[in-house]
Protein backbone atom coordinates (compact mmCIF):
# COMPACT_ATOMS: atom_id res chain seq x y z
CA UNK A 1 0.00 0.00 0.00
CA UNK A 2 2.62 2.51 -1.11
CA UNK A 3 0.07 5.02 -2.34
CA UNK A 4 -1.49 5.40 1.10
CA UNK A 5 1.88 6.33 2.58
CA UNK A 6 2.48 8.85 -0.19
CA UNK A 7 -0.91 10.44 0.34
CA UNK A 8 -0.33 10.68 4.09
CA UNK A 9 3.11 12.18 3.52
CA UNK A 10 1.73 14.69 1.02
CA UNK A 11 -1.08 15.57 3.42
CA UNK A 12 1.37 16.06 6.27
CA UNK A 13 3.63 18.31 4.18
CA UNK A 14 0.59 20.26 2.97
CA UNK A 15 -0.54 20.87 6.57
CA UNK A 16 2.94 22.06 7.52
CA UNK A 17 3.20 24.43 4.56
CA UNK A 18 -0.30 25.75 5.21
CA UNK A 19 0.51 26.27 8.88
CA UNK A 20 3.68 28.19 8.07
CA UNK A 21 1.94 30.29 5.44
CA UNK A 22 -0.98 31.09 7.73
CA UNK A 23 1.25 32.03 10.66
CA UNK A 24 3.32 34.15 8.29
CA UNK A 25 0.25 36.03 7.15
CA UNK A 26 -0.79 36.68 10.72
CA UNK A 27 2.67 37.76 11.86
CA UNK A 28 3.48 41.39 12.54
CA UNK A 29 5.00 43.37 9.71
CA UNK A 30 8.49 43.08 11.15
CA UNK A 31 10.57 40.28 9.65
CA UNK A 32 11.76 38.15 12.55
CA UNK A 33 13.80 35.70 10.51
CA UNK A 34 17.05 37.69 10.67
CA UNK A 35 19.90 37.01 13.04
CA UNK A 36 18.88 40.02 15.14
CA UNK A 37 15.98 37.80 16.22
CA UNK A 38 17.39 34.26 15.92
CA UNK A 39 20.88 34.59 17.39
CA UNK A 40 21.66 33.22 20.82
CA UNK A 41 22.38 36.75 22.07
CA UNK A 42 20.39 39.59 20.61
CA UNK A 43 19.95 43.34 21.02
CA UNK A 44 16.82 44.16 23.07
CA UNK A 45 15.91 46.59 20.28
CA UNK A 46 16.52 43.98 17.53
CA UNK A 47 18.66 46.43 15.59
CA UNK A 48 19.41 45.43 12.03
CA UNK A 49 22.73 43.61 11.81
CA UNK A 50 22.87 42.88 15.56
CA UNK A 51 22.89 39.46 17.14
CA UNK A 52 25.71 37.11 18.08
CA UNK A 53 26.43 33.62 19.31
CA UNK A 54 28.26 35.17 22.27
CA UNK A 55 27.63 37.96 24.75
CA UNK A 56 28.53 41.45 23.65
CA UNK A 57 26.91 44.72 22.78
CA UNK A 58 24.91 45.92 19.84
CA UNK A 59 27.06 47.65 17.21
CA UNK A 60 24.09 49.85 16.26
CA UNK A 61 22.72 51.18 19.54
CA UNK A 62 25.41 50.00 21.99
CA UNK A 63 23.05 48.15 24.33
CA UNK A 64 24.24 44.90 25.90
CA UNK A 65 23.00 41.77 24.19
CA UNK A 66 20.41 39.74 26.07
CA UNK A 67 20.03 35.97 25.89
CA UNK A 68 17.45 35.04 23.30
CA UNK A 69 14.96 32.58 24.78
CA UNK A 70 13.73 31.81 21.26
CA UNK A 71 17.21 31.08 19.90
CA UNK A 72 17.43 28.23 17.45
CA UNK A 73 20.17 25.68 17.86
ZN1 LIG B 1 20.70 47.61 19.14
Amino acid sequence: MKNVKEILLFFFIFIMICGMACSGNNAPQTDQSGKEYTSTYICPMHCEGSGSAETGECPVCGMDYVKNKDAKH
Side-chain angles (χ1 to χ4, degrees):
M1 296 293 279
K2 188 164 174 279
N3 285 340
V4 174
K5 283 188 178 178
E6 286 180 352
I7 290 168
L8 282 173
L9 184 63
F10 178 82
F11 188 68
F12 181 66
I13 292 171
F14 178 80
I15 292 288
M16 282 183 63
I17 292 172
C18 182
M20 284 189 286
C22 291
S23 62
N25 289 340
N26 293 335
Q29 290 178 337
T30 50
D31 180 9
Q32 299 190 357
S33 63
K35 71 187 183 90
E36 58 267 32
Y37 286 92
T38 59
S39 295
T40 306
Y41 289 92
I42 55 172
C43 172
M45 304 301 292
H46 302 291
C47 297
E48 193 171 339
S50 66
S52 174
E54 298 172 352
T55 56
E57 60 184 37
C58 176
V60 180
C61 70
M63 292 179 72
D64 290 336
Y65 283 152
V66 294
K67 197 158 188 357
N68 181 12
K69 64 184 187 313
D70 297 324
K72 294 168 185 171
H73 296 287

